[in-house]
């Protein structure tokens, strides 16, 4: 990635630990960053733990009003571009089939569009900064420490803090897809 592009992204408060939906920001790069963090800890003789988080219906859970607030407040988008995003999100329905009945949902952003994934990334702009790397709706948190008890305690604190964030953001963690690894 060019230095100029990095500078522009950083000036827009873009999260440089974000991968997916961005050219030259792949899953492989995200995994290499994660592996390197764990490897460095193990080389130093420390213990490491990683929590892999996954959101339940990530794109379908985005609160559109909160998304528009973040787009304006956190990214400074206003005027015609803001109105275009507002229009994109307005009167857009996802059809859900629940117990054989079709329902319309007015939450979420369309993953199948070019704008949808970018808006999803923007929605997650204030996820705690110790979450790294972030790949689409999959997040990871690495904890390093001298002993496993410390690592486990810190991991639990990180889970608690992310749960607070998800509550404010109207998102849910998919507990069946969320995994923990200790090294």
């Amino acid at each position: 990635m060019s230095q100029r592009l990095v500078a522009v992204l950083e000036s827009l408060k873009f999260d440089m630990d974000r991968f997916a939906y961005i050219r030259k920001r792949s899953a492989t790069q995200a995994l290499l960053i994660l592996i390197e963090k764990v490897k460095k800890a193990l080389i130093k003789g420390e213990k490491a733990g990683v929590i892999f988080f996954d959101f339940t219906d990530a794109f379908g859970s985005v609160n559109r009003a909160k998304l528009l607030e973040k787009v304006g407040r956190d990214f400074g988008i206003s005027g015609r571009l803001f109105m275009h995003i507002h229009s994109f999100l307005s009167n857009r329905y996802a059809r859900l089939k629940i117990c054989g009945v079709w329902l319309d949902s007015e939450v979420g952003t369309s993953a199948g569009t070019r704008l949808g994934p970018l808006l999803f990334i923007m929605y997650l702009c204030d996820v705690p900064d110790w979450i790294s790397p972030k790949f689409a709706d999959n997040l990871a948190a690495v904890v390093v420490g001298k002993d496993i008890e410390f690592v486990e305690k810190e991991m639990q604190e990180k889970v608690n803090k992310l749960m607070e964030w998800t509550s404010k953001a109207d998102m849910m963690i998919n507990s069946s897809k969320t995994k923990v690894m200790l090294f």
Side-chain angles (χ1 to χ4, degrees), residues 11-14 66-77 122-126:
S11 74
L12 292 173
K13 299 180 184 173
F14 180 79
K66 289 181 181 181
L67 171 59
L68 287 169
E69 181 182 324
K70 289 179 182 187
V71 163
R73 180 191 67 223
D74 297 336
F75 294 91
I77 295 174
M122 295 169 89
Y123 192 67
L124 296 185
C125 72
D126 57 354

Side-chain angles (χ1 to χ4, degrees), residues 60-105:
S61 299
V62 170
N63 179 316
R64 293 177 185 170
K66 289 181 181 181
L67 171 59
L68 287 169
E69 181 182 324
K70 289 179 182 187
V71 163
R73 180 191 67 223
D74 297 336
F75 294 91
I77 295 174
S78 61
R80 287 185 174 166
L81 180 55
F82 183 86
M83 294 309 296
H84 174 76
I85 293 169
H86 183 274
S87 176
F88 174 82
L89 293 171
S90 298
N91 300 316
R92 180 175 290 271
Y93 298 97
R95 295 202 63 207
L96 308 170
K97 189 174 185 178
I98 301 173
C99 298
V101 178
W102 285 98
L103 303 171
D104 288 329
S105 171

